[in-house]
Amino acid sequence: MAFAWETKNQTIPWGNINFSNNTPNIGDTNIAEAGTLDLEWNRLSLYTGNDTYRRLAEGSVRTIAGLIAPLPGLAAQGVSPATNEFTDNMITWGGGSDSYFEYLIKYARLTNTDDNLFADTWHTAVDSSIKSLLRKSIVGDHLYLAGRDDEGKIVHASSHLACFNGGNWILGGKLINNDTIVDIGLDLVEACWNTYASTETGIGPEDFQFISFDSFQPSDTRPNAQQRQFFEKHGFFITTPYYILRPEVLESNFYAWRATGDTKYLGRAASAIDSFRKFLRVDSGGYSGINDVDDANINRGNRMDDTESFWYAEVLKYLYLTFDDPDHISLDKFVFNTEAQPFEAPPAKPVYGSGSIIPPTGPYVMKAPGAPLPAISPIPAL
């Protein structure tokens, strides 16, 4: 995989490699692909004694974090390995960006580095999100993280993928000793769980939007009559109704349980298990995705002929650990990568980061709109 760095001076890897000849496919990538190797490759260097892996992966994150971002700490989604520049202006905690932000604080914890860049960049991203992206729905007062489109306009949208944010904010807030961030993280967990509690199957959708107190923006979906009726009851409306066995809502539920000890999170995990057994289980004993989480008629073509690996790696693991002894794979001793693989960490430092956000180093220059969005669904048909 190190062939993704074509030259010695290249700091951001190309997104794809032809392994038959170890040749990278030249093209733009996104911050999730380029910024989500450092946990794994740091451990690889530790266990092999070859520091090349750490240097490459960490160098990519450092490059992204060092670019002037659309909002302080909030890197744009698209990035070019050829120029070390962002290729668009989009901001999201969802697919294409998600795990870059996730790994900033986790890398600081796993390595106990004295370099505050990672924790402070995460802290800065969260601070900017609180100031610019947090929105409440006009129904239900649910707290969501909005995004920004290529024109720099707010998008009142979120996704199952983005629902990792609550657990990440809980973890990071604990590590930087910031109770405000922990509390907001818990509110984000509540809003994401509401997407499960509101559907006919008790399972949340792939994508959803909401109406807030600020005005509609160009990239917002204006709800049709059925969506508006759903919103008036639940505080969000579904824009992409399928569920492909994603883990993020239950991942954040796990972090909320471990952080608070509130047994409501056990009840929610149990409710999800009941829904999975009822609507996802197939006769052969496996589990499949469904096309519409708000359709409880499982005999009406609502099945996908597909089971994703993250069902086993993440969903079942986070459910198992929610009901397990909290001292087993304790969050005080382990850091989970983005696919829920636990890495043993050294004893925690008293605090991570300097406690300060990183000031902008200059004005952000808007990129020409139109950069291609990353393909974030593993199912080709979607």
Side-chain angles (χ1 to χ4, degrees):
M1 288 176 64
F3 285 101
W5 285 263
E6 188 177 26
T7 67
K8 291 183 178 180
N9 297 324
Q10 185 180 344
T11 57
I12 296 177
W14 303 109
N16 296 279
I17 307 171
N18 182 341
F19 283 117
S20 66
N21 56 15
N22 292 329
T23 301
N25 296 335
I26 308 304
D28 295 333
T29 185
N30 61 71
I31 61 173
E33 291 182 358
T36 316
L37 294 170
D38 51 353
L39 291 189
E40 292 84 357
W41 287 33
N42 177 280
R43 297 295 91 174
L44 186 58
S45 284
L46 176 68
Y47 300 142
T48 63
N50 183 348
D51 194 52
T52 298
Y53 310 114
R54 179 207 62 81
R55 177 179 55 80
L56 289 173
E58 186 181 300
S60 181
V61 176
R62 288 182 180 276
T63 297
I64 296 169
L67 298 178
I68 299 173
L71 292 172
L74 287 172
Q77 186 175 80
V79 66
S80 170
T83 63
N84 285 352
E85 293 182 354
F86 294 127
T87 60
D88 59 37
N89 314 293
M90 291 179 286
I91 295 174
T92 177
W93 282 75
S97 300
D98 44 7
S99 45
Y100 163 75
F101 296 117
E102 175 188 358
Y103 270 28
L104 287 170
I105 192 63
K106 287 184 173 181
Y107 191 74
R109 172 64 188 95
L110 181 65
T111 64
N112 273 358
T113 176
D114 291 327
D115 187 342
N116 290 328
L117 171 75
F118 306 95
D120 285 356
T121 301
W122 181 86
H123 187 183
T124 304
V126 170
D127 182 76
S128 289
S129 298
I130 292 171
K131 293 174 179 175
S132 300
L133 302 182
L134 276 185
R135 295 291 189 279
K136 283 191 175 182
S137 60
I138 61 174
V139 173
D141 214 27
H142 300 294
L143 190 66
Y144 300 107
L145 271 184
R148 291 210 324 179
D149 66 15
D150 221 1
E151 302 285 351
K153 305 291 187 182
I154 285 291
V155 186
H156 297 89
S158 190
S159 65
H160 203 295
L161 275 169
C163 280
F164 88 95
N165 55 29
N168 187 247
W169 286 32
I170 293 167
L171 173 67
K174 291 285 188 182
L175 293 177
I176 70 171
N177 294 344
N178 188 313
D179 289 339
T180 298
I181 294 174
V182 173
D183 290 341
I184 294 174
L186 290 168
D187 286 340
L188 293 172
V189 172
E190 292 296 309
C192 282
W193 177 253
N194 180 57
T195 68
Y196 271 56
S198 300
T199 69
E200 290 297 316
T201 63
I203 303 170
E206 176 76 354
D207 297 305
F208 57 92
Q209 295 199 21
F210 56 93
I211 302 170
S212 189
F213 293 94
D214 51 348
S215 60
F216 278 104
Q217 296 296 315
S219 294
D220 287 334
T221 297
R222 290 186 176 269
N224 60 31
Q226 183 179 3
Q227 289 172 320
R228 184 74 193 215
Q229 184 179 24
F230 189 95
F231 173 79
E232 294 295 342
K233 186 176 181 180
H234 301 295
F236 74 98
F237 61 94
I238 298 169
T239 51
T240 308
Y242 58 74
Y243 174 68
I244 60 170
L245 312 181
R246 290 206 189 275
E248 291 80 13
V249 172
L250 293 169
E251 172 187 353
S252 287
N253 188 74
F254 161 75
Y255 278 97
W257 157 244
R258 285 285 183 95
T260 68
D262 190 330
T263 55
K264 71 180 180 182
Y265 300 111
L266 296 179
R268 291 172 179 179
S271 174
I273 290 172
D274 288 341
S275 293
F276 293 159
R277 284 175 167 163
K278 184 175 182 180
F279 296 105
L280 307 183
R281 188 173 175 87
V282 296
D283 293 340
S284 62
Y287 291 80
S288 73
I290 53 177
N291 292 304
D292 187 350
V293 296
D294 206 37
D295 183 356
N297 190 337
I298 59 175
N299 297 316
R300 198 169 58 202
N302 198 23
R303 294 281 191 190
M304 291 181 180
D305 185 15
D306 192 273
T307 300
E308 293 296 330
S309 62
F310 43 71
W311 168 257
Y312 304 100
E314 299 183 74
V315 177
L316 298 183
K317 189 181 298 175
Y318 281 125
L319 285 171
Y320 171 80
L321 290 174
T322 299
F323 293 103
D324 196 16
D325 186 332
D327 286 334
H328 181 215
I329 312 185
S330 165
L331 291 177
D332 293 328
K333 299 177 181 178
F334 290 87
V335 173
F336 287 92
N337 79 344
T338 196
E339 299 295 337
Q341 310 304 340
F343 293 151
E344 189 170 8
K349 297 164 61 174
V351 66
Y352 289 81
S354 68
S356 300
I357 62 174
I358 301 173
T361 56
Y364 177 73
V365 178
M366 289 282 287
K367 305 299 182 291
L373 290 171
I376 59 174
S377 173
I379 301 177
L382 301 177

